[in-house]
Amino acid sequence: MAMEYFDEKIVPILKRKLPGSDVSGRLIGAAPVPGPSAALTTMQLFSKQNPSRQEVTKLQQQVKTNGAGVTMLRREISELRTKVQEQQKQLQDQDQKLLEQTQIIGEQNARLAELERKLREVMESAVGNSSGSGSNEESPRKRRKAAESVDCPRKSKRLRNRK
């Protein structure tokens, strides 16, 4: 009588509250009580253990779709790695060019300094020769012009001669 009450009143309430659970009027380890609850439980277990063809087909399609997505992502990763390697090579080439150009600029600066030094010496010797061989009474304007040309060797001839 208690088993019948449990099967009729309590089991349906538990099934509504806990869908998909195996609730029956039997005790754990006891033999199943013949009746609708035991048959229903067996059918539920059978359907859960053996999914329908539709579910299997759906899962197979998802696996194929995911596999295709993974393959596409791997291809994309490979392409991106190739691009990164190309860009690293470009950076190395640019660094090498920068180093070469820096060395060339340094050599040109050294040569320019040497040429400026030689030009200053030539200018000083030209000023010294003209003042030594000519009269000692040069005008202040000529002396100032000679001093400016020695102090500023970077000025072009046109700028030096404008004053």
Side-chain angles (χ1 to χ4, degrees):
M1 191 156 180
M3 292 289 284
E4 291 172 2
Y5 177 80
F6 183 79
D7 283 341
E8 291 174 2
K9 302 287 182 177
I10 297 176
V11 169
I13 293 172
L14 289 176
K15 283 184 180 181
R16 273 187 256 131
K17 288 185 178 179
L18 305 170
S21 63
D22 183 19
V23 180
S24 65
R26 63 182 173 199
L27 297 173
I28 298 176
V33 177
S37 65
L40 183 62
T41 305
T42 307
M43 289 301 288
Q44 286 176 346
L45 287 175
F46 182 72
S47 69
K48 287 181 182 178
Q49 289 176 354
N50 298 324
S52 69
R53 276 191 184 184
Q54 191 177 25
E55 290 174 338
V56 170
T57 306
K58 191 176 184 181
L59 289 174
Q60 286 175 344
Q61 287 175 348
Q62 286 179 349
V63 167
K64 285 181 183 178
T65 304
N66 290 344
V70 167
T71 303
M72 184 182 68
L73 289 173
R74 284 184 180 157
R75 189 177 318 121
E76 192 173 330
I77 287 172
S78 150
E79 291 171 359
L80 290 173
R81 283 184 180 151
T82 304
K83 284 182 181 179
V84 166
Q85 288 174 349
E86 289 173 0
Q87 289 176 351
Q88 286 177 343
K89 178 147 178 39
Q90 284 179 343
L91 282 174
Q92 288 175 350
D93 292 344
Q94 289 174 352
D95 286 343
Q96 183 65 30
K97 282 183 181 179
L98 182 64
L99 181 64
E100 290 171 2
Q101 289 175 350
T102 303
Q103 289 174 346
I104 290 171
I105 289 172
E107 291 170 2
Q108 289 176 343
N109 283 341
R111 186 169 180 209
L112 182 62
E114 180 66 24
L115 289 174
E116 287 176 348
R117 184 186 61 77
K118 286 181 181 179
L119 180 63
R120 232 180 276 126
E121 289 174 1
V122 168
M123 294 291 283
E124 288 172 357
S125 66
V127 170
N129 286 344
S130 66
S131 64
S133 62
S135 65
N136 286 339
E137 297 179 5
E138 287 186 25
S139 68
R141 184 174 177 201
K142 284 185 179 179
R143 271 189 256 138
R144 185 172 38 128
K145 198 177 209 182
E148 284 178 1
S149 66
V150 171
D151 292 340
C152 302
R154 288 189 177 222
K155 287 186 181 177
S156 67
K157 284 184 178 179
R158 189 184 66 186
L159 291 175
R160 283 183 286 192
N161 293 332
R162 279 178 102 175
K163 292 185 178 179

